[in-house]
Amino acid sequence: MAAAESSEKTPRRPRISDATLRDSAHMAGVEFGPKDAAVIADLLVRTGVELVEVGMVAGPGSKDADLVRATHEAVGPERSMTLVVVRDRRQVATALDEAERLGVRHIMYSIPTSEQHAQLKLGSPSAKFLHTLARSAISQAKERGFHVTFSGEDGARTPRERLVPYVTAGFEAGADRFRLAETVARLSPWQMGEVIGDLTAIDGSEIEIHSHNMLGMAVANSLAAVRAGAQWISATVGGIGERGGNAPLAELLTSLRVIHGDTRFDLTHLTELSRVALKGSGLGDAFQSGPTTPHAFAYELPGQLSHPEAYETLPAEVIGGTRELRVRTRLTPALVRWALADSGVLVDVDAFTPWLIERQERNGRPLLDRDAVRKAAIDFQSV
């Protein structure tokens, strides 16, 4: 009886995708270079990771083009996947043009599913509008021959009655895989099992879990998702990533080996992966995921600073933290305005921003926080 029970509790062997060169690369202040991308991608594939997620495309002139090309050269486009932002039909078409230009074969659509995120990013909380947009985006990509994963951004906070019809509609439109993004960490492993169970019950579904580690349960939630029928887990090297980090790859793969006897992965590359990723990210060897790290409430996107409640599991103030700007070259006038608010420093933001970007490039892209932006504005006044 004990052996039978043990067998029933052993999950299927999940396929692994790694988002170090996408989620981690868009963590506030983190910018990997092409050389780091090539080394990281190669080590990931040698470890046994099936897909290397790299870069984000929203339209022409992607800032991540060099990362995508370097990853393709290292492991081939068949082993990589690039995120495509979805905002409206016209934007999707231009983004797909860029993905084709870069030689991308696998795309992952970022589509907000919760009412809060849909209102913030799509301008409408309407479930009907969400379905229409997703169907259109998926159909456009499949017509061009892409392998399509579509996401449920903030899916963990999306009610079942809203999430399940959306996922069903996506598969009916021809999508190959659905990723549940625990954008705002909030589920326990048993709750995760229930959510994933609803999705795997959809006819023809292939499900992936992408958890964030603000509550320290990203690995546990990922394993619970697989036990409930998910076929894929998304992780990052060292757990590097936004909002408390992601499911750490080393902990995930060692858990699969120790707990479930899964020996498919070559774990000998994990220490070197961690060394290269932490050095390339500029985070240092002491990086940890979770709510008390300096990076847990740091942002480089204006929407995250102006609408933190849409992204935070708990407000920074609850744990004695502060909300901060951390950025290197991804400066925008909106970020600069946030940094200068209530500072008493008055500059022409539209003139100051390109000046600061140029200075950043000239000085080797040092990390900027709010105080550094304010000091730079004072320097600009004297120019």
Side-chain angles (χ1 to χ4, degrees), residues 187-236:
L187 299 179
S188 65
W190 47 93
Q191 290 170 320
M192 178 64 74
E194 293 176 359
V195 173
I196 294 295
D198 288 336
L199 303 181
T200 56
I202 298 170
D203 187 42
S205 64
E206 183 175 305
I207 306 299
E208 178 174 4
I209 179 62
H210 176 86
S211 281
H212 282 261
N213 207 36
M214 188 65 90
L215 300 181
M217 291 190 287
V219 169
N221 279 351
S222 298
L223 295 178
V226 172
R227 182 176 179 179
Q231 295 99 322
W232 288 80
I233 299 174
S234 170
T236 65

Side-chain angles (χ1 to χ4, degrees), residues 323-338:
R323 203 166 289 111
E324 187 53 85
L325 166 70
R326 290 180 187 269
V327 64
R328 294 186 188 274
T329 65
R330 297 189 178 101
L331 282 159
T332 63
L335 284 177
V336 171
R337 288 190 184 93
W338 185 88

Side-chain angles (χ1 to χ4, degrees), residues 103-180:
V104 173
R105 306 269 181 86
H106 294 241
I107 66 166
M108 199 274 287
Y109 276 133
S110 175
I111 306 176
T113 55
S114 69
E115 288 191 10
Q116 188 173 17
H117 273 239
Q119 178 65 56
L120 180 62
K121 298 180 178 180
L122 303 179
S124 171
S126 166
K128 181 178 180 181
F129 175 72
L130 179 66
H131 292 191
T132 300
L133 182 60
R135 286 194 189 98
S136 173
I138 292 166
S139 298
Q140 286 185 65
K142 294 304 294 183
E143 287 170 2
R144 298 190 190 211
F146 288 105
H147 182 284
V148 179
T149 297
F150 71 114
S151 80
E153 186 181 352
D154 202 25
R157 288 197 300 185
T158 304
R160 181 187 186 280
E161 60 272 17
R162 181 179 174 92
L163 183 63
V164 172
Y166 163 76
V167 178
T168 302
F171 281 116
E172 289 175 348
D176 299 285
R177 182 163 69 251
F178 172 74
R179 170 185 285 181
L180 179 72

Side-chain angles (χ1 to χ4, degrees), residues 242-243 298-308 311-312 323:
E242 300 178 282
R243 293 177 303 282
Y299 305 106
E300 67 176 19
L301 297 177
Q304 294 173 333
L305 288 163
S306 57
H307 298 281
Y311 296 90
E312 295 176 356
R323 203 166 289 111

